[in-house]
Amino acid sequence: MNLKNSKFYKRIQELRHLSKEKIRKDREQRSRVTRIIDMALSERRPNPASDEERVSSPTSKIPFTQKSLPSPCCRSKRIKSKKKAHQSDGDYRPKAGQAAACSSVKLATSETDTKHEGFIQLNQKCFRVACIRRQDAALVQEEERSISDSKSTICVSNSRYAMIGKISKALGYKLVKESKLWNILWSDSFPGVELFKNMKRFQQINHFPGMIEICRKDLLSRNLNRMQKFYPHDYKIFPKTWMLPADYGDAMNYALNHRRTFILKPDSGAQGRGIWLTNDLKTIGPHERLICQTYVHRPLLIDGYKFDLRVYTLVTSVDPLRIFVYNEGLARFATNKYVEPTPGNANDLYMHLTNYSVNKRNSQYEMCDNDDCGSKRKLSAINNWMRRHNYNVEEFWSNVDDVIIKTVLSAWPVLKHNYHACFPGHDKIQACFEILGFDILVDWKLKPYILEVNHSPSFHTNEQVDREVKRPLIRDTLTLVSTVLADKKQIMREDRKRVKQRLLKSKGETLQRPRLLSGTSRVEASPNPNAGATGDPEIDSLAQQIAWEESHMGNFRRIMPPPDPAKINYYSRFYGQTNQVSIFAETAASKKREDLARKMRIQIEEKKAKQMQMLNGRPKREARVKRLSTMLPRAVREKNRIHLYRLQEHWTPGFISEAEERLRHTWLQMRTEAIRNMKIAENVFSTLYETGNLTNTDMVVYPHLYHNVQNGHDIKVTA
Ligand code: ADP
């Protein structure tokens, strides 16, 4: 038999070939890493002539020089990118908006210098960050190079929109599965806390933990109502809202004094489901869970139709808070001409609701390629319409920005708290970014109202107008997020080193914390503008990210921190709100609890006052009443007390949780069981009998025990 023809021999040959291939690849990889490190080291060599950094407060500019701040665009993968540049034109090049943004950055200074500017806003202080880089022609080319050469990976398997994957690919991202070490995870739904906690320092996800605080109707109204209590004049940015059943009484009260139409929505609904109009709140049951809102009955109309605006907003960081608004968006029109609500037309959803999902079912729904017609139009078309009708468009958008900022600020304490809790070690780049879809309704006076915030706005592209708006939006978002600033390999190397160090460290030694400063301490430490001068890598990374964002805005505009320095002070006051992190705050149950707690406080205070009186000598009559009342049997006294209490306080039982009741019942049973097993009643009875303290009631209530002890049985002993 010829051995060479055997299966076994062929397999051995195959394996040898594979292992050779693997060794070759490993060797290549190693030499590439060495080259990259060399490049990185040469880049990081301090060069005061070329790299200059400044961080300054709004009032005084305090310059400092950093050891090095590599340009965000200049990653250590230069060798590869140069090779690629020669290869093909298939790479994505920043188009329209982005190119404009990049060129504007360049125009700001001389041809060879580029100045990246940005703000770091840490709590209530804002610092300007400036990064001036002298660039030669080659570097300018490098700068123009998009992120296509960075080997960033993205996982879009949790998104139903094919467009995200396509655009990411065009931008040079590699699509990977969730199990791989992705740079970006794009998911349509909020991921679980576990995923947030397991994220590496180079990873980013398209949701912030806690953003639900403004993305669910009930939580949004709770937050906005709370803010309105603190800042009544500033927070007139939403229609009056009540959460039923907790605010049932308040809503009814309002309805009695005002003749208004109300719109009722399910507390966590979407796409216009379950919404109806009414001007009679009595038709609502007192236990229904709903959001009740005053209806904006005089909206701005275009061609006689009601519409609302979908404003796409990108949050790239919550601490410091950085918000960008996309200059293009959508206006969604109702499909029946608008008439103020009457009992006859209140059911006409095509007249009163502007949701696409509702109106697409109407035969009047219009698809149009022209900017000035159709049931879905671009924001730029609306702006043109406003200009034609002599509205002040700039002022209007400044008001919309104000609404967006205030809405996000209403959840800021939760966002900040959750972010620092989930990502204590994320010091290189921000761990999250999020595109939010703000639904804004405009009234006839051009006043914008926030209706809703969507954490996963639809990226369906059924119509041309969708494609024209959403594609550039995704592209500009992926360009703006700063994944490219984090060197995956280097971070992984650092992490491995840390783990090794931790393992090798003896027990007594203190461990180095992975993050240099935790969220809060960072905020406290940073108001000193010299913080950067200490070479704090976390602040440096932030400055780097800000510089990157400022130079890669595409068609976004930054609204937070606001470009107008006067507004920085104005918004800083809203950071000081009380932190109500609890999700149970202001629910019906919590209100009852608060109410009871208040009453108990009053009772305790009264009791204390009485005790004080007693110590200082009580009036005679009061003492007599007290003496008389103590003479009454305890059960009667208790009954009287409760009766009086209910009469005085109009007390009604609060919310009773079924689960709590079951638990209480189980405990009661366990207690009864224990009393029976330990023969506590028998012990007490026997002791009372022996000491001669047994009363007639005891004999009547426990006849069997009495009978046993009378007959000389030891009732304490188990039978
Ligand atoms: P959903 O999440 O179900 O879409 P929204 O709160 O966005 O619920 O409301 C759906 C539509 O109802 C909006 O697009 C808007 O046209 C209309 N609408 C909602 N609230 C009001 C209001 N207070 N005044 C007038 N119209 C409203």
Side-chain angles (χ1 to χ4, degrees), residues 17 26 72 85 120 189 199-200 267 304 362 364 384 387 389 397 431 441 479 506 515 537 553 580 600 682 689 716:
H17 178 74
D26 277 358
I120 304 182
S189 53
M199 270 168 61
K200 302 267 182 292
D267 54 2
N362 191 358
Q364 305 290 317
N384 289 338
R387 277 193 200 102
H389 289 80
W397 281 106
L441 187 70
T479 311
S506 63
R515 186 168 184 144
M553 279 205 275
Q580 283 207 12
M600 273 172 71
E682 285 82 351
Y689 181 79
K716 291 184 207 167

Side-chain angles (χ1 to χ4, degrees), residues 295-312:
Y295 188 73
V296 178
H297 63 287
R298 287 185 72 187
L300 184 69
L301 304 179
I302 294 185
D303 306 334
Y305 293 98
K306 178 181 173 177
F307 66 95
D308 76 347
L309 306 178
R310 164 56 59 88
V311 184
Y312 294 103

